[in-house]
């Protein structure tokens, strides 16, 4: 709950200022009969960037006031992108194997049927806004690397030499010392060593087990049934430079169908690239599934397609976490995950309705990661 608003005034502000319709517009809640909702990964109800509101609270408030849904969601995730305390996204996101912060993001606007994305973008704290500029200022859906940075510069974004913070740089140094004591390992050993270094850092409390893949996804629906979504990330910690995850790939880390709903993800991006999970979930919604059933179906698909031994645990289940945040155009929602707990951490998601922001446990396919 925003500290400046108690629950009653939050509800009143939402209902009077927004859900009842912005000035000059018909009462929106009656127009489509939808109760607005915003869902996000759990960092969406944690970081405030020095302000009073979290991602889901800010996004919901703006949607309730009648602002464009995608603009509201992006304003929400900007809080996490800009907050150095969130080392999974934007400024201070955990860097790649060379110590360089490379960011991915995508946005989709349901009513306008438009989308934009950037991948491997360096130097811009808010990749979600660059993704929106790709959507609005170009005929394309995805710009990458140096081209994405040049485009951002041309669009007036500040381009910085380095997005590391002391936190992200120190964690990278810790990882580098563990993985590269002799400056060289062959590729097979390097993969094993990189995994071992990540695991050791988690075990030593140096790395949040749910931040290895970083990311915030945030999806929302307005009282008019307008659905949008955004996903933004610094990606897999210590990734090979140039690695692109699921976040900027439409259908993988984000999919929105303006008539149906939205789904996005955090966790192992490669699982979503292989299964186009977010698109699968929204197509499930189109076929009449609930948000919960649609998400669970994608988790089962991922489990079935995870056949490589290195990716399975002793029980034969995926050895990684992957979560989905789902809304439908009628205001239904769900937060689902492969595991209910992961390496001792409860897996949660963020939500905001007219009752205010909250953090809830996910619905899990498998109760506990062993
Ligand atoms: N899901 C974020 C990533 O894999 O990059």
């Amino acid at each position: 709950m925003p500290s400046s608003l108690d629950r009653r005034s939050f509800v009143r502000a939402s209902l009077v200022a927004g859900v009842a319709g912005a000035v000059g517009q018909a009462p929106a809640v009656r127009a489509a009969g939808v109760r607005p909702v915003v869902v996000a990964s759990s960092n969406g109800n944690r970081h405030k960037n020095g302000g009073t509101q979290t991602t889901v609270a800010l996004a919901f408030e703006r949607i309730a006031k009648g602002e464009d849904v995608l603009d509201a969601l992006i304003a929400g995730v900007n809080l996490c992108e800009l907050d150095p305390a969130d080392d999974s996204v934007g400024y201070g996101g955990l860097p790649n194997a060379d110590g360089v912060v490379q960011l991915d993001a995508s946005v989709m606007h349901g009513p306008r049927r438009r989308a934009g994305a950037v991948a491997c973008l360096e130097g811009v704290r808010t990749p979600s806004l660059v993704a929106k500029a790709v959507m609005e200022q170009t005929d394309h859906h995805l710009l990458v690397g140096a081209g994405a940075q040049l485009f951002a510069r041309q669009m007036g974004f500040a381009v910085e030499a380095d997005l590391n913070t002391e936190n992200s740089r120190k964690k990278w140094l810790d990882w580098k010392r563990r993985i590269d004591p002799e400056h060289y390992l062959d590729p097979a050993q390097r993969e094993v060593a990189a995994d071992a270094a990540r695991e050791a850092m988690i075990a030593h409390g140096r790395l949040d087990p749910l931040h290895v893949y970083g990311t915030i996804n945030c999806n929302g629906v307005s009282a008019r049934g307008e659905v949008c979504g955004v996903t933004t990330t610094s990606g897999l910690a210590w990734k090979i430079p140039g690695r692109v995850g699921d976040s900027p790939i439409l259908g993988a880390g984000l999919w929105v169908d303006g008539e149906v709903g939205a789904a996005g993800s955090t966790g192992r991006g490669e699982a979503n690239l292989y299964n186009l999970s977010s698109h699968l979930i929204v197509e499930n919604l189109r076929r009449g599934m609930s948000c919960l059933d649609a998400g669970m179906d994608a988790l089962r698909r991922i489990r079935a397609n995870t056949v490589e031994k290195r990716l399975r645990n002793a029980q034969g289940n995926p050895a990684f976490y992957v979560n989905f945040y789902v809304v439908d155009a009628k205001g239904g929602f769900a937060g689902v995950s492969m595991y209910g707990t992961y390496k001792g951490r409860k897996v949660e998601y963020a939500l905001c309705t007219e009752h205010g922001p909250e953090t809830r446990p996910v619905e899990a396919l498998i109760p506990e990661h062993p």
Side-chain angles (χ1 to χ4, degrees):
M1 175 65 60
S3 58
S4 61
L5 287 176
D6 63 20
R7 183 167 295 269
R8 190 178 301 155
S9 58
F10 186 90
V11 172
R12 196 171 49 239
S14 302
L15 291 174
V16 173
V19 179
V23 176
Q25 294 171 331
V29 74
R30 289 180 206 120
V34 176
R35 300 189 88 83
V37 63
V38 173
V39 293
S41 38
S42 61
N43 45 351
N45 198 30
R46 188 176 311 136
H47 302 289
K48 299 178 180 173
N49 193 32
T52 58
Q53 285 179 295
T54 59
T55 294
V56 290
L58 179 66
F60 183 89
E61 187 179 85
R62 290 186 177 211
I63 290 170
K65 282 181 179 156
E67 283 186 29
D68 178 81
V69 176
L70 183 57
D71 285 345
L73 298 174
I74 292 174
V77 301
N78 286 164
L79 291 175
C80 285
E81 289 176 322
L82 294 170
D83 192 333
D86 189 338
D87 63 15
S88 77
V89 52
Y91 174 59
L94 295 179
N96 66 21
D98 285 348
V100 178
V101 179
Q102 283 188 329
L103 304 172
D104 298 339
S106 62
V107 299
M108 290 189 79
H109 197 292
R112 291 166 67 194
R113 281 8 179 224
R114 290 176 74 170
V118 289
C120 294
L121 174 63
E122 298 175 13
V124 182
R125 295 186 183 204
T126 52
S128 62
L129 283 170
V130 186
K132 185 184 168 217
V134 172
M135 178 183 91
E136 291 188 330
Q137 308 290 336
T138 80
D139 181 37
H140 310 306
H141 288 318
L142 175 61
L143 295 179
V144 307
Q149 190 190 63
L150 178 63
F151 170 77
R153 197 187 302 276
Q154 290 165 340
M155 291 298 115
F157 287 88
V159 177
E160 299 175 54
D162 187 3
L163 293 184
N164 274 292
T165 56
E166 273 311 283
N167 168 62
S168 63
R169 192 188 333 279
K170 279 184 176 158
K171 285 181 177 169
W172 175 79
L173 264 178
D174 187 342
W175 172 81
K176 192 73 177 166
R177 287 183 184 127
R178 290 169 195 257
I179 189 178
D180 198 13
E182 294 168 25
H183 310 299
Y184 184 82
L185 291 169
D186 76 33
Q189 287 173 317
R190 185 182 173 89
E191 186 175 302
V192 171
D195 280 348
R198 269 191 216 104
E199 293 303 314
M201 289 180 72
I202 291 168
H204 296 161
R206 294 283 293 139
L207 196 57
D208 181 338
L210 293 171
H211 270 190
V212 171
Y213 288 98
T215 313
I216 180 166
N217 162 248
C218 187
N219 308 313
V221 56
S222 71
R224 295 177 190 78
E226 300 151 329
V227 188
C228 294
V230 53
T231 304
T232 175
T233 189
S234 49
L236 174 66
W238 339 131
K239 60 194 173 188
I240 294 174
R243 178 263 191 187
V244 175
D246 59 323
S247 302
I249 304 302
L250 305 180
L254 178 68
W255 186 254
V256 177
D257 183 310
E259 298 292 313
V260 179
S265 183
T266 58
R268 182 177 161 78
E270 283 70 13
N272 291 329
L273 286 167
Y274 192 84
N275 293 284
L276 284 184
S277 317
S278 295
H279 185 264
L280 172 64
I281 290 171
V282 176
E283 285 304 296
N284 282 341
L285 295 177
R286 187 195 304 285
R287 285 193 288 273
M289 280 190 196
S290 68
C291 292
L292 176 60
D293 290 346
M296 286 294 174
D297 184 58
L299 292 166
R300 278 189 210 96
R301 177 78 61 91
I302 290 171
R303 181 167 65 175
N305 279 333
T306 304
V307 297
E308 284 186 72
K309 195 162 175 255
R310 70 186 176 92
L311 294 174
R312 289 158 63 115
N313 60 27
Q315 289 71 38
N317 289 318
F320 52 83
Y321 72 92
V322 61
N323 311 330
F324 296 106
Y325 315 94
V326 189
V327 296
D328 67 29
K330 297 177 193 143
F333 60 86
V336 302
S337 176
M338 188 64 74
Y339 291 104
T341 64
Y342 189 78
K343 295 186 193 290
R345 290 278 308 277
K346 195 159 62 164
V347 183
E348 299 174 315
Y349 72 106
L351 172 73
C352 194
T353 65
E354 73 264 33
H355 303 300
E358 56 183 303
T359 302
R360 288 189 182 181
V362 291
E363 304 278 349
L365 186 63
I366 304 165
E368 280 189 25
H369 184 263

